[in-house]
Amino acid sequence: MNRATLLLLQLLVAVVLIGIWHVATTVPIGGMHLLPPFFFSTPQAVGQRIVKWLVEGTIWKHLGITLLESMLAFVIGSLGGALIGFWFARQQLIAAIFDPYIKMLNALPRVVLAPIFALWLGLGIWSKVALGITLVFFVVFFNVYQGVKEVSPTVLANARMLGMSERQLLRHVYWPSALSWMFSSLHTSVGFAVVGAVVGEYLGAAAGLGYLIQQAEGVFDVAGVFAGMFVLAIFVILIDLVVSIVEKRLLVWRPSPGEARM
């Protein structure tokens, strides 16, 4: 299936879902709506709210702050998770010592950490960045750790037979294996970085998409809540697209699934 057809089918799914939403909230069946507009708003009202935000420029400030928080959390969490995951995979004693502590920290509910970060770092961007880092770090850490551990013993043995030094093994064997796993985790991490920023804003902030959604929710503005969520969804898709482009650039050596089966 070519890319244009795939994109058309993806858009068709969105159109169908929005169409069902529109019918369920605007067309009464037996004197009642399937989805009461008061609780679910309507696609038209949500669209008008987004257009209003764009025309008035209200959304740009909030979007910019959430973008900054998300990108800082994504970059710092990804780098930290990749480097520490790689180090642990290469140092078995260190991994064994810290294994229970890593699992304990990963099991902590992140929502519980949000007020603590706000207390330590204030209501500025860094408390949201810290929350996002805790979500991103472990996803990347476990994938990179597993990626290095999954290096084929045959490939390693052949590389050593060819006289590769430890430095060359890191560059040509371990890192390529880790990168494949890492980029598979980065697509998930994008969403987690945004979730961390938005949840932090929702719990306490003066700006950002989470703050905008929280303010709309506080006055029962359902259209505003849905509009904020739609902007957030588009925002995440665009960031994920950037990650996909970088992945194709860095993993150009990796065969496509179709080529791998041939």
Side-chain angles (χ1 to χ4, degrees):
M1 183 182 296
N2 59 48
R3 181 169 296 183
T5 304
L6 178 61
L7 180 60
L8 184 62
L9 290 173
Q10 290 172 336
L11 290 174
L12 182 61
V13 171
V15 170
V16 170
L17 290 175
I18 292 173
I20 293 172
W21 179 20
H22 174 74
V23 171
T25 54
T26 59
V27 179
I29 299 176
M32 294 180 62
H33 294 93
L34 291 177
L35 299 177
F38 180 80
F39 296 107
F40 294 91
S41 189
T42 63
Q44 183 180 1
V46 172
Q48 288 173 345
R49 182 60 56 86
I50 294 174
V51 170
K52 180 182 177 183
W53 284 347
L54 293 173
V55 171
E56 294 178 350
T58 308
I59 194 66
W60 301 117
K61 172 188 173 183
H62 299 287
L63 189 59
I65 290 173
T66 301
L67 174 62
L68 176 61
E69 294 165 350
S70 301
M71 294 312 299
L72 286 171
F74 179 72
V75 172
I76 297 171
S78 299
L79 285 176
L83 294 175
I84 296 176
F86 191 90
W87 179 45
F88 274 33
R90 298 288 291 135
Q91 301 292 331
Q92 291 301 302
L93 179 60
I94 298 294
I97 291 171
F98 285 96
D99 179 67
Y101 300 102
I102 291 290
K103 290 177 180 176
M104 178 182 67
L105 291 173
N106 185 42
L108 289 175
R110 304 306 191 272
V111 176
V112 174
L113 295 175
I116 297 175
F117 288 141
L119 181 64
W120 289 348
L121 303 171
L123 296 177
I125 68 168
W126 289 109
S127 59
K128 287 73 178 174
V129 171
L131 183 61
I133 289 173
T134 63
L135 290 166
V136 172
F137 174 86
F138 291 102
V139 177
V140 178
F141 170 85
F142 286 117
N143 275 272
V144 171
Y145 179 84
Q146 193 63 33
V148 176
K149 298 286 288 181
E150 289 288 328
V151 171
S152 170
T154 305
V155 173
L156 276 175
N158 289 338
R160 289 193 172 105
M161 277 179 48
L162 292 171
M164 278 193 178
S165 65
E166 191 65 23
R167 189 172 184 178
Q168 288 173 320
L169 285 174
L170 289 176
R171 179 180 178 183
H172 298 290
V173 179
Y174 286 112
W175 268 120
S177 176
L179 279 175
S180 297
W181 286 72
M182 184 180 76
F183 273 105
S184 69
S185 69
L186 289 183
H187 293 285
T188 306
S189 299
V190 167
F192 281 153
V194 176
V195 166
V198 172
V199 169
E201 292 166 353
Y202 188 87
L203 295 176
L209 288 178
Y211 167 81
L212 201 63
I213 293 171
Q214 192 272 338
Q215 290 294 301
E217 189 178 273
V219 294
F220 300 101
D221 180 8
V222 181
V225 173
F226 276 92
M229 290 193 294
F230 268 98
V231 171
L232 189 60
I234 295 169
F235 171 56
V236 171
I237 290 171
L238 292 176
I239 298 177
D240 186 70
L241 181 61
V242 173
V243 173
S244 298
I245 293 171
V246 174
E247 179 181 11
K248 288 179 180 178
R249 289 285 190 132
L250 292 181
L251 300 182
V252 66
W253 50 269
R254 186 175 64 181
S256 67
E259 294 172 340
R261 289 192 297 267
M262 292 177 64

